[in-house]
Amino acid sequence: MDALDDLMARCAMRDQRAFAELYRQTSGRLLAVALRVVRRRDWAEEILQESFVNIWNHVSHFDRVRSAPMTWMTTIVRNRALDWVRRPKHETSDEELDGIVENWADDAPGPLDRLRNAADSSALAECLGTLSGQQRQSIALAYLHGLSHSEMAEHLGQPLGTIKTWVRRGLERLRGCMDATSA
Amino acid sequence: MKPQNPETRSILAAEYVLGTLHGQARRRFEHWMKSDPALRREVGRWEARLNPLCDTLPAVQPGPAVWKSIEARINPSREAAAAEKTTWLGSLAFWRWTSFASAGLASVLLAFVVVSTGPSDVAGPEEAMVVVMEDPETRNPSISVAWSPEGRGKPKLRIRVIGHAEMAPGTAWELWALPEGNQPPRSLGFINTHETQWVEVPEELRHQLNKAAGMAMSLEPEGGSPTGRPSGPVLASGKCLKI
């Protein structure tokens, strides 16, 4: 059992020191996730706060057999951030979106390389490598930056149907590849 | 209409996780998930597949105000809790004396203690250890445990399951002692749904048992936790009291 599992089990028994330690170990990574989606630090910190209160209140439902602690917590943060960014008053400016989209352009170095180097993610990195550049870019823009189909369509200058196809085909291929890798 | 085709279900789950399913469609999908465990599992698989993307993000440390707000919100009575800070279940939000003092629970406890001085290793009516475990969600007492701190041989825990409990097939309820401080929980055995039952604990655990700060019961796969620590949801927990 790794350290996070242990902390989660103790949090479920209402051990506040374990919760403080859980926060210390994970809040930096989780804030990064929220910040990528909502792109404003004060908003991201608000989401982080709400998420940790949520984590504390629902930790007794956490099921280790079903998911890893970090995946469970990331999902809580991402879902909150996605809800947030979909509210009309929290939309991102066009200039910002253009910058983000450019960052994930097919020939831009960086994010995929970082993924290749990250521990535990080599299967995902390897499989993302089998996708077309457009498929990879659209999945990363949606997952990490919370972009909707229509935002991608607008900023990539493609019809909506094309974007939807890139995302869907990319996901199908990713699943096929990852299932084969883990089999 | 909820899709039945596995391919369609998997892609919808993926788009839900990705975040490209939104608005009405997202809410509808969440509604389906509530009553469809297979769909939840598919969502879980996609979360596990895509989650490593987050490893590419450099961590950003939050300001100190964030933790302060969280702490204040999870612990509305901080002053009182501070006094108990050194113990396992040191949160007043968790253990409410008000609910403990309620007439219903007090009578359950009293009835329990009277019955527990039956033919057992309980040395006498003068001293007993009692834990009344609550459901963490509803705060209702759901299981009580009592034993005699004195005596010889294997400590016998008298367990009472309050209300009409049901256990899902293929699962088990594992009982844990929660030691003082930062020690990991220690398995004490399994509980079934019978209203009254006994659990025998190895003799060498007597000291730890008597010193335990609390107990908890977790939902585990049949045969018990695969990790040796609570791995499933905590169904009930409570503090040890000497009476």
Side-chain angles (χ1 to χ4, degrees):
Chain A
M1 187 182 260
D2 78 14
L4 286 185
D5 278 315
D6 219 19
L7 290 174
M8 297 288 278
R10 284 167 51 198
C11 288
M13 291 159 186
R14 315 326 275 161
D15 180 344
Q16 295 199 357
R17 280 189 299 178
F19 186 59
E21 180 59 19
L22 184 74
Y23 179 85
R24 200 188 62 76
Q25 290 191 19
T26 61
S27 54
R29 283 151 76 191
L30 293 172
L31 182 61
V33 171
L35 194 57
R36 244 357 117 100
V37 176
V38 301
R39 293 178 279 270
R40 252 182 64 173
R41 190 166 174 122
D42 53 340
W43 290 351
E45 288 194 338
E46 196 172 325
I47 286 163
L48 188 73
Q49 182 191 318
E50 291 294 329
S51 300
F52 266 94
V53 171
N54 216 311
I55 287 166
W56 174 253
N57 289 337
H58 292 96
V59 69
S60 66
H61 292 301
F62 168 70
D63 188 344
R64 178 65 188 92
V65 179
R66 229 171 249 172
S67 64
M70 205 57 204
T71 306
W72 185 72
M73 290 190 286
T74 306
T75 301
I76 289 175
V77 171
R78 278 194 72 247
N79 281 341
R80 246 172 211 287
L82 286 172
D83 282 345
W84 183 281
V85 82
R86 297 285 186 254
R87 286 180 215 152
K89 59 175 178 167
H90 297 146
E91 274 173 3
T92 313
S93 74
D94 282 350
E95 296 75 37
E96 267 185 291
L97 282 185
D98 277 338
I100 291 160
V101 167
E102 225 156 80
N103 242 334
W104 274 97
D106 195 24
D107 51 359
L112 191 62
D113 291 333
R114 280 205 298 277
L115 183 60
R116 285 204 185 93
N117 297 329
D120 300 331
S121 58
S122 53
L124 178 63
E126 196 179 301
C127 290
L128 278 172
T130 70
L131 269 54
S132 77
Q134 293 152 333
Q135 290 168 348
R136 193 164 49 237
Q137 183 188 20
S138 54
I139 286 174
L141 287 172
Y143 187 78
L144 288 177
H145 302 274
L147 263 67
S148 65
H149 284 136
S150 45
E151 283 169 327
M152 287 191 270
E154 194 179 323
H155 294 274
L156 290 165
Q158 295 288 335
L160 190 58
T162 306
I163 300 289
K164 287 185 175 174
T165 307
W166 286 352
V167 170
R168 183 163 293 212
R169 296 255 164 87
L171 289 168
E172 281 165 358
R173 187 178 278 191
L174 199 59
R175 184 187 54 195
C177 174
M178 291 189 81
D179 286 355
T181 312
S182 67
Chain B
M1 259 284 283
K2 191 168 84 169
Q4 302 298 325
N5 177 311
E7 192 61 26
T8 314
R9 284 162 60 92
S10 176
I11 285 298
L12 271 176
E15 298 240 16
Y16 171 76
V17 172
L18 201 60
T20 46
L21 197 65
H22 51 96
Q24 205 48 29
R26 190 170 186 84
R27 299 283 94 85
R28 198 168 54 222
F29 186 85
E30 283 170 345
H31 182 70
W32 292 338
M33 270 205 298
K34 280 187 193 143
S35 57
D36 189 339
L39 197 61
R40 287 201 298 274
R41 279 196 294 277
E42 188 58 24
V43 166
R45 279 192 285 272
W46 275 108
E47 281 165 359
R49 284 183 190 120
L50 292 171
N51 189 251
L53 264 173
C54 294
D55 296 346
T56 62
L57 307 176
V60 183
Q61 290 311 317
V66 180
W67 173 248
K68 285 208 179 82
S69 311
I70 295 168
E71 214 181 11
R73 285 180 58 188
I74 64 163
N75 196 355
S77 176
R78 287 183 64 189
E79 279 173 30
E84 280 196 273
K85 217 171 179 176
T86 51
T87 67
W88 246 97
L89 306 167
S91 141
L92 270 202
F94 164 68
W95 185 257
R96 292 184 179 161
W97 281 96
T98 48
S99 78
F100 184 74
S102 75
L105 182 50
S107 64
V108 167
L109 187 60
L110 188 64
F112 177 79
V113 172
V114 170
V115 181
S116 72
T117 54
S120 69
D121 67 342
V122 173
E126 58 277 348
E127 202 166 69
M129 297 294 292
V130 177
V131 187
V132 179
M133 296 200 283
E134 294 181 332
D135 180 320
E137 293 286 301
T138 64
R139 309 259 178 223
N140 289 327
S142 53
I143 289 180
S144 61
V145 181
W147 71 97
S148 165
E150 310 299 327
R152 286 154 178 254
K154 294 178 178 175
K156 284 187 188 143
L157 306 179
R158 188 188 169 93
I159 316 279
R160 179 160 269 200
V161 179
I162 300 159
H164 301 282
E166 280 179 29
M167 195 186 298
T171 63
W173 292 347
E174 195 159 357
L175 184 67
W176 305 88
L178 312 177
E180 203 85 49
N182 271 338
Q183 299 302 304
R186 183 86 193 235
S187 177
L188 296 174
F190 297 95
I191 297 178
N192 56 44
T193 54
H194 293 159
E195 199 185 323
T196 307
Q197 52 192 297
W198 296 88
V199 170
E200 264 193 2
V201 174
E203 198 175 348
E204 62 270 21
L205 287 185
R206 183 181 286 277
H207 183 69
Q208 276 191 34
L209 194 64
N210 291 344
K211 299 274 286 178
M215 283 192 188
M217 185 183 86
S218 66
L219 181 67
E220 301 294 345
E222 217 164 6
S225 166
T227 61
R229 304 277 176 84
S231 71
V234 172
L235 302 179
S237 57
K239 217 174 191 178
C240 290
L241 300 169
K242 189 177 262 188
I243 58 171

